């Protein structure tokens, strides 16, 4: 049983293959969190964790002789004897914000229900998946909270979410409705977050916990470049291969907050959900509010194990697209090769060379529509610019197809340029507030996706675009964050719902389009990696990781991204040098050794490649194709961190352990040093591996415990080496 309920002890035991999560109904009414960690067996008793009684300056609930401040609650309310971050807060018509939703009943069932209107993980028929739903009821304000816990036993994953239902006569205002809250008995953790900026997305940042609040969040209407909706608590000295990690990741692409609060007893509360900053949701009689899903991972073998659990789960039980297990096409994207300066002739010339090199998909980026020759106009006018493409998108797609390539196209459907026919026709269709000017980002405004009419318009226009031409791939971009957040279509009292309604609207549009066009491979993008999150991944199995295509910078960006997101989802391209973002010159070899670890492609003008470079590129593409399944779907191990020094190394191992690909990178060359060995991971110690580049066979045990000799490196900065290991 993945979920046991011991009625006598009022104890729920949620069990995955290797972990346990235990909840007790204290006094039959308060769901308290007693344990999460390595799997427990036998007779369990956690009574010592429930502390009753009074202490100086403590407020207590008389009838229970207990203070909620001492109770590790699963979904704490506001206004009572708990002073920590509440999981929810509800303003009632009488002005009260105090609530007290208590256990009323629960259900345990096989499988998992969908989350209405939101992306979420799913169970397949033969999965050992069970869901526990606990109903909490507040008698006074007459609302119900359903706490959902789904146990994916074989994946070692537990997901959580919450739904709030107004069962009464009065209007309720949800001022906060998080997805989860989790209390730990102590605060002996480091907090790990993925933070950064444009061009520096998802860097690993850690800090020790101290009494008080530590928080990451987004208020930008997108999950953002700056913070990812992921947070982990790690025991001190945890590294890639040892130590306990408690991680949570939110399946959501909008404003979120992840908080860690250490209280005066050194207890720690981790909460995650929609950001309650500038959030208010009017819940009328009979209405319900669904909070997004949080994905919890526990690892007792450091960060690598955590990542592998996320990778496998997301690949198999989050990504919905049929491409989830397919090898991703090698693409050429014209953005850095041409920017806006192209026409059909140029594109076809580029594609012809790309086809000779072995590229499988040509992606036409920004600038093919309206009158768009720079970023000052035409977003919203999704019809072809005949000056550039006289035969239309379909004519170009045909020509590209004739060269033996699939054709893909760029769109940015959530945006509108003030200088566009769409905006002139519908100025009221943008996110804005009354009587104030709209700020612009990249000269554009945001369409009000909270509004059904706008959603339907975009669905219609894109349906035509995707149906009229032979389109195999779509890059869905989004290049600015929200300001002046409001909707012309929402009532005054619902204005603070705009940002979340926008996300729900976007998800509806994506649901429609991705199910109408199941054969299109969708890639999401937001000025590079500004919305690399599980919510987008549900619809689009890959994401453009960063606009920073410099190979050295990419080591950090891809290393950080791999912490949570599968290698198959990480868009990684080789671009021209000097690199357009920072002017660095790196070798084609190094650029390839980095870009191989992802959804691989090129982003340059192939006409500018010399004969010699074309020969190298051909070889790279051939090599990648032969390794692609291994790299995109193998088990990924990070060996040396770019955040810790001059070297980086990582590798991937096939599920049967018979094949592996290892890469090592050294940023700055050093004089008069000897390179050591790389202790590999994930291999079978009993197998022998043949390594072609050095023409040697080494045993798995030697490679694991003594290491793979790195050998001589080129005497240059930014060097790399890769090894393909095979059991013959
Ligand atoms: C931002 C994206 O990240 C780039 O790859 C490119 O598509 C541009 N937008 C086009 O405007």
């Amino acid at each position: 049983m993945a979920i046991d309920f011991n009625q006598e002890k009022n104890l729920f035991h949620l069990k995955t293959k290797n972990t346990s999560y235990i909840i007790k109904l204290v006094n039959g009414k308060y769901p308290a969190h007693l344990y999460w960690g390595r799997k427990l067996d036998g007779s369990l008793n956690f009574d010592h964790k429930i502390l009753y009684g009074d202490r100086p300056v403590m407020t207590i609930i008389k009838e229970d002789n207990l203070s909620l401040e001492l109770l590790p609650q699963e979904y704490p309310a506001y206004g009572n004897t708990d002073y920590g971050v509440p999981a929810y807060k509800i303003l009632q018509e009488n002005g009260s914000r105090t609530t007290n939703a208590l256990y009323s009943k629960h259900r345990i069932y096989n499988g998992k229900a969908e989350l209405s209107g939101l992306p979420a993980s799913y169970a397949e028929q033969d999965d050992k998946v069970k869901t526990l739903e606990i109903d909490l009821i507040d008698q006074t304000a007459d609302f119900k909270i359903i706490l959902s816990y789904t146990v994916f036993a074989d994946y070692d994953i537990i997901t959580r979410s919450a739904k709030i239902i107004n069962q009464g006569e009065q209007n309720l205002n949800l001022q906060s409705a998080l997805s989860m809250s989790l209390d730990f008995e102590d605060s002996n953790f480091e907090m790990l977050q993925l933070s950064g900026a444009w061009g520096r997305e998802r860097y690993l940042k850690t800090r020790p916990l101290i009494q008080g609040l530590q928080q990451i969040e987004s208020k930008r209407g997108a999950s953002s470049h700056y913070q990812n909706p992921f947070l982990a608590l790690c025991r001190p000295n945890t590294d890639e291969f040892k130590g306990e990690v408690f991680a949570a990741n939110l399946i959501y692409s909008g404003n979120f907050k992840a908080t860690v609060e250490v209280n005066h007893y050194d207890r720690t509360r981790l909460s995650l959900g929609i950001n309650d900053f500038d959030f208010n949701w009017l819940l009328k009689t009979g209405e319900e509010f669904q909070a997004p899903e949080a994905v919890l991972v526990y690892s007792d073998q450091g960060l690598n194990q955590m990542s592998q659990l996320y990778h496998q789960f997301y690949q198999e039980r989050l990504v919905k697209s049929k491409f989830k297990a397919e090898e991703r096409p090698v693409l050429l994207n014209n953005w850095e090769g041409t920017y806006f300066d192209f026409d059909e002739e140029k594109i076809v010339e580029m594609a012809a060379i790309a086809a000779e090199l072995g590229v499988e998909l040509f992606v036409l980026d920004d600038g093919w529509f309206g009158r768009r020759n720079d970023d000052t106009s035409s977003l919203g006018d999704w019809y072809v610019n005949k000056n550039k493409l006289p035969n239309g998108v379909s004519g170009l797609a045909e020509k590209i197809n004739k060269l033996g390539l699939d054709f893909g196209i760029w769109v940015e459907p959530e945006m509108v340029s003030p200088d566009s026919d769409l905006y002139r026709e519908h100025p009221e269709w943008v996110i804005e507030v009354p009587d104030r000017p709209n700020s612009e980002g990249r000269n554009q405004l945001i369409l009000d996706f909270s509004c059904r009419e706008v959603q339907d318009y975009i669905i219609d226009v894109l349906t035509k675009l995707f149906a009229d031409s032979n389109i195999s791939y779509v890059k869905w971009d989004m290049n600015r964050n929200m300001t002046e957040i409001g909707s012309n279509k929402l009532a005054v009292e619902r204005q603070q719902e705009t940002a979340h309604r926008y996300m729900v609207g976007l998800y509806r549009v994506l649901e429609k389009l991705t199910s109408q066009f199941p054969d299109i491979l969708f890639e999401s993008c937001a000025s590079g990696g500004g919305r690399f999150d599980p919510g987008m991944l549900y619809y689009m199995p890959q994401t453009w990781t960063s606009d920073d295509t410099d190979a050295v910078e990419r080591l950090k960006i891809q290393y950080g991204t791999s912490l949570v997101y599968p290698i198959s989802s990480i868009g990684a391209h080789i671009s021209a040098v000097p690199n357009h973002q920072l002017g660095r010159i790196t070798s084609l070899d190094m650029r390839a050794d980095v870009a191989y670890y992802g959804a691989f492609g090129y982003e340059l003008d192939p006409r500018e490649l010399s004969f010699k470079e074309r020969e190298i590129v051909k070889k790279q593409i051939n090599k990648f194709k032969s390794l692609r399944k291994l790299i995109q779907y193998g088990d990924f191990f990070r060996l040396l961190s770019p955040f810790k020094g001059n070297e980086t190394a990582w590798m991937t191992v096939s599920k049967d352990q018979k094949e592996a690909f290892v890469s090592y990178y050294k940023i700055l060359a050093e004089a008069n040093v000897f390179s050591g060995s790389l202790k590999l991971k994930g291999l079978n110690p009993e197998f022998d591996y043949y390594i072609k580049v050095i023409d040697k066979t080494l045993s798995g045990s030697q490679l694991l415990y003594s290491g793979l000799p790195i050998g001589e490196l080129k005497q240059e900065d930014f060097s790399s080496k890769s090894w393909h290991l095979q059991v013959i």
Side-chain angles (χ1 to χ4, degrees):
M1 266 291 258
I3 302 177
D4 290 337
F5 179 57
N6 180 330
Q7 199 152 11
E8 202 188 316
K9 294 183 176 169
N10 259 339
L11 213 66
F12 296 100
H13 190 163
L14 284 54
K15 296 176 197 163
T16 70
K17 211 166 36 175
N18 297 299
T19 71
S20 288
Y21 185 112
I22 296 176
I23 303 167
K24 184 183 171 80
L25 298 171
V26 172
N27 292 4
K29 52 186 170 184
Y30 305 107
H33 176 75
L34 298 188
Y35 178 81
W36 180 31
R38 270 182 84 136
K39 194 165 192 167
L40 304 180
D41 284 319
S43 123
L44 306 174
N45 189 320
F46 288 99
D47 289 348
H48 59 283
K49 291 209 177 188
I50 315 300
L51 305 175
Y52 292 91
D54 209 346
R55 301 259 175 121
V57 210
M58 185 179 271
T59 49
I60 62 163
I61 301 171
K62 275 269 184 207
E63 67 175 67
D64 295 309
N65 184 31
L66 110 104
S67 173
L68 294 176
E69 211 168 2
L70 286 177
L71 196 71
Q73 297 171 80
E74 281 290 321
Y75 204 68
Y78 169 74
N80 49 35
T81 57
D82 179 295
Y83 298 90
V85 174
Y88 68 103
K89 186 167 163 228
I90 297 180
L91 170 66
Q92 299 133 65
E93 281 183 355
N94 61 7
S96 161
R97 287 93 53 228
T98 295
T99 55
N100 199 15
L102 302 175
Y103 170 84
S104 85
K105 59 179 189 304
H106 72 267
R107 301 163 286 289
I108 296 172
Y109 57 85
N110 289 329
K112 176 173 193 282
E114 286 185 1
L115 263 67
S116 126
L118 292 175
S121 63
Y122 53 85
E124 297 221 325
Q125 232 184 2
D126 298 329
D127 285 356
K128 285 189 212 135
V129 170
K130 289 221 178 260
T131 299
L132 161 68
E133 288 184 355
I134 302 180
D135 291 354
L136 308 177
I137 287 187
D138 183 294
Q139 303 283 5
T140 312
D142 216 353
F143 64 85
K144 174 159 89 179
I145 300 175
I146 304 177
L147 297 183
S148 296
Y149 301 80
T150 298
V151 179
F152 289 83
D154 287 342
Y155 288 91
D156 268 330
I157 296 273
I158 295 174
T159 68
R160 284 190 61 176
S161 65
K163 190 195 275 186
I164 302 181
I165 303 164
N166 183 352
Q167 313 188 116
E169 300 298 318
Q170 64 167 318
N171 285 342
L172 301 174
N173 278 287
L174 303 189
Q175 298 184 325
S176 175
L178 300 183
S179 298
M180 58 161 282
S181 179
L182 244 178
D183 283 7
F184 296 84
E185 220 177 353
D186 65 290
S187 65
N188 192 22
F189 294 107
E190 285 202 332
M191 170 171 154
L192 169 66
Q193 63 197 63
L194 292 176
S195 308
W198 175 90
R200 288 186 278 112
E201 293 91 338
R202 289 168 300 286
Y203 279 20
L204 265 65
K205 310 248 161 130
T206 54
R207 50 176 134 165
L209 301 187
I210 56 165
Q211 184 172 339
L213 197 62
Q214 22 262 301
Q215 169 165 334
I216 56 166
E217 62 167 0
S218 170
K219 309 200 252 312
R220 297 170 171 269
S223 49
S224 90
H225 295 92
Y226 312 95
Q227 304 289 0
N228 198 263
F230 161 84
L231 198 146
L233 294 177
C234 309
R235 290 296 181 191
N237 303 319
T238 290
D239 64 20
E240 287 288 358
F241 300 103
K242 63 170 191 346
E244 277 189 303
V245 182
F246 301 83
N249 188 206
L250 192 66
I251 306 182
Y252 190 60
S253 315
N255 294 339
F256 74 92
K257 84 166 183 182
T259 60
V260 177
E261 188 180 32
V262 177
N263 77 4
H264 45 287
Y265 297 118
D266 274 332
R267 293 171 165 233
T268 303
R269 173 169 295 170
L270 164 65
S271 8
L272 179 63
I274 292 178
N275 201 345
D276 47 13
F277 177 87
D278 195 32
F279 170 87
N280 184 76
W281 195 274
L282 174 60
L283 204 63
K284 294 195 165 165
T285 305
E287 287 181 349
E288 54 185 54
F289 180 84
Q290 176 66 61
E293 184 174 30
V295 181
L296 304 184
V297 169
Y298 167 79
S299 158
D300 62 351
Q301 286 162 51
L303 295 169
N304 250 281
Q305 187 188 56
M306 174 203 76
S307 302
Q308 287 182 9
L309 292 170
Y310 272 123
H311 290 184
Q312 189 161 9
F313 184 62
Y314 284 173
Q315 248 160 215
E316 297 176 9
R317 294 295 180 266
L318 175 70
V319 174
K320 218 187 45 169
S321 146
K322 73 166 206 193
F323 294 94
K324 68 180 188 177
E326 282 186 24
E327 294 178 32
R328 306 297 162 77
V330 176
L331 64 79
L332 175 76
N333 176 305
N334 72 309
W335 179 242
E336 286 199 17
T338 67
Y339 295 105
F340 293 103
D341 180 18
F342 63 81
D343 57 17
E344 186 186 274
E345 202 186 328
K346 199 191 251 189
I347 293 296
V348 174
E349 271 176 29
M350 288 169 76
I353 300 171
E356 273 172 32
L357 300 177
V359 166
E360 297 159 313
L361 163 71
F362 186 92
V363 179
L364 180 64
D365 212 280
D366 193 355
W368 58 267
F369 51 93
R371 287 170 295 100
R372 183 130 164 126
N373 292 313
D374 54 33
D375 63 16
T376 58
S377 83
S378 303
L379 293 171
D381 298 344
W382 299 111
Y383 47 82
V384 75
N385 178 341
K386 289 258 178 176
N387 292 332
K388 285 182 172 177
L389 306 178
N391 299 301
V393 173
S394 60
L396 176 64
E398 256 173 53
K399 290 193 177 174
I400 304 265
N401 290 160
K402 275 207 187 112
L403 294 167
L405 296 179
D406 285 337
F407 177 73
I409 199 158
W410 177 98
V411 286
E412 195 181 353
E414 297 157 68
M415 300 289 150
V416 66
S417 308
D419 180 8
S420 66
D421 295 342
L422 182 64
Y423 185 68
R424 281 182 280 273
E425 209 176 307
H426 285 292
E428 78 288 3
W429 273 9
V430 299
I431 296 282
E432 62 183 355
V433 296
D435 309 325
R436 293 190 192 270
N438 291 322
S439 307
E440 291 181 15
R442 211 191 186 205
N443 308 300
Q444 60 201 50
L445 303 173
I446 305 184
L447 283 176
D448 182 2
F449 266 49
S450 76
C451 159
R452 194 81 170 192
E453 204 185 350
V454 176
Q455 297 162 23
D456 289 341
Y457 173 81
I458 292 294
I459 292 169
D460 262 20
V461 170
L462 294 185
T463 300
K464 284 197 193 89
L465 175 68
F466 299 164
D468 285 353
S469 308
N470 191 19
I471 289 175
S472 307
Y473 162 105
V474 165
K475 178 175 172 186
W476 183 292
D477 206 348
M478 191 287 287
N479 285 301
R480 69 155 286 187
N481 290 152
M482 289 182 190
T483 52
E484 295 90 30
I485 301 177
S487 166
N488 291 313
K489 307 284 171 173
L490 285 175
V492 171
E493 64 274 20
R494 290 199 182 271
Q495 287 298 312
Q496 283 178 297
E497 298 173 14
T498 308
H500 179 59
R501 283 186 182 275
Y502 177 96
M503 284 323 307
V504 175
L506 171 63
Y507 290 146
R508 174 173 172 261
V509 172
L510 293 177
E511 180 67 44
K512 289 253 176 211
L513 290 170
T514 52
S515 27
Q516 247 170 265
F517 296 96
D519 296 330
I520 293 183
L521 169 62
F522 283 84
E523 174 158 338
S524 76
C525 172
S527 302
R531 214 166 48 182
F532 204 135
D533 59 58
M536 297 313 279
L537 217 52
Y538 173 81
Y539 302 101
M540 312 203 199
Q542 56 193 61
T543 301
W544 180 225
T545 312
S546 176
D547 278 341
D548 187 345
T549 54
D550 171 68
V552 175
E553 294 276 289
R554 274 296 184 122
L555 291 173
K556 283 187 177 162
I557 298 168
Q558 292 177 205
Y559 190 99
T561 305
S562 80
L563 213 72
V564 181
Y565 304 103
I567 300 304
S568 59
S569 70
I570 297 179
H573 303 170
I574 292 179
S575 60
V577 290
N579 174 266
H580 292 194
Q581 290 76 43
L582 37 88
R584 185 178 319 184
I585 297 180
T586 51
S587 68
L588 253 181
D589 287 348
M590 158 96 172
R591 279 175 275 160
D593 279 339
V594 178
Y596 284 153
Y597 288 84
F600 174 75
Y602 292 79
E603 183 151 342
L604 42 70
D605 184 347
R607 298 172 313 162
E608 285 171 9
L609 293 171
S610 66
F611 177 75
K612 199 172 147 212
E613 286 171 328
R614 288 188 198 184
E615 290 308 303
I616 298 175
V617 167
K618 251 188 225 170
K619 284 199 188 125
Q620 291 177 341
I621 294 179
N622 268 334
K623 176 172 171 180
F624 178 72
K625 285 178 182 167
S626 71
L627 294 170
R628 164 163 59 184
K629 186 159 177 243
L630 166 66
I631 294 180
Q632 293 180 340
Y633 295 102
D635 290 335
F636 183 72
F637 295 86
R638 292 174 299 268
L639 305 176
L640 294 174
S641 168
F643 296 100
K644 292 200 171 140
N646 197 25
E647 300 166 297
T648 299
W650 50 44
M651 65 182 289
T652 182
V653 184
S654 63
K655 298 279 175 207
D656 63 5
Q657 296 178 301
K658 291 196 171 149
E659 208 184 347
F661 188 60
V662 184
S663 296
Y664 168 84
Y665 315 84
K666 183 157 181 170
I667 313 303
L668 294 180
E670 290 171 296
N672 190 24
V673 289
F674 294 101
S675 32
S677 301
L678 274 179
K679 285 193 181 147
L680 304 189
K681 295 284 173 186
L683 303 179
N684 189 323
E686 318 251 294
F687 292 170
D688 281 337
Y689 293 87
Y690 174 65
I691 308 169
K692 199 166 167 205
V693 273
I694 52 171
D695 191 23
K696 280 201 174 106
T697 299
L698 298 176
S699 75
S701 58
Q702 178 178 346
L703 291 162
L704 288 166
Y705 313 132
S706 168
L708 169 73
I710 294 169
E712 287 299 303
L713 293 165
K714 280 194 195 145
Q715 277 185 311
E716 60 183 26
D717 289 342
F718 324 126
S719 58
S720 65
K721 272 191 151 190
S722 287
W723 300 262
H724 183 202
L725 281 54
Q726 274 173 301
V727 174
I728 307 232

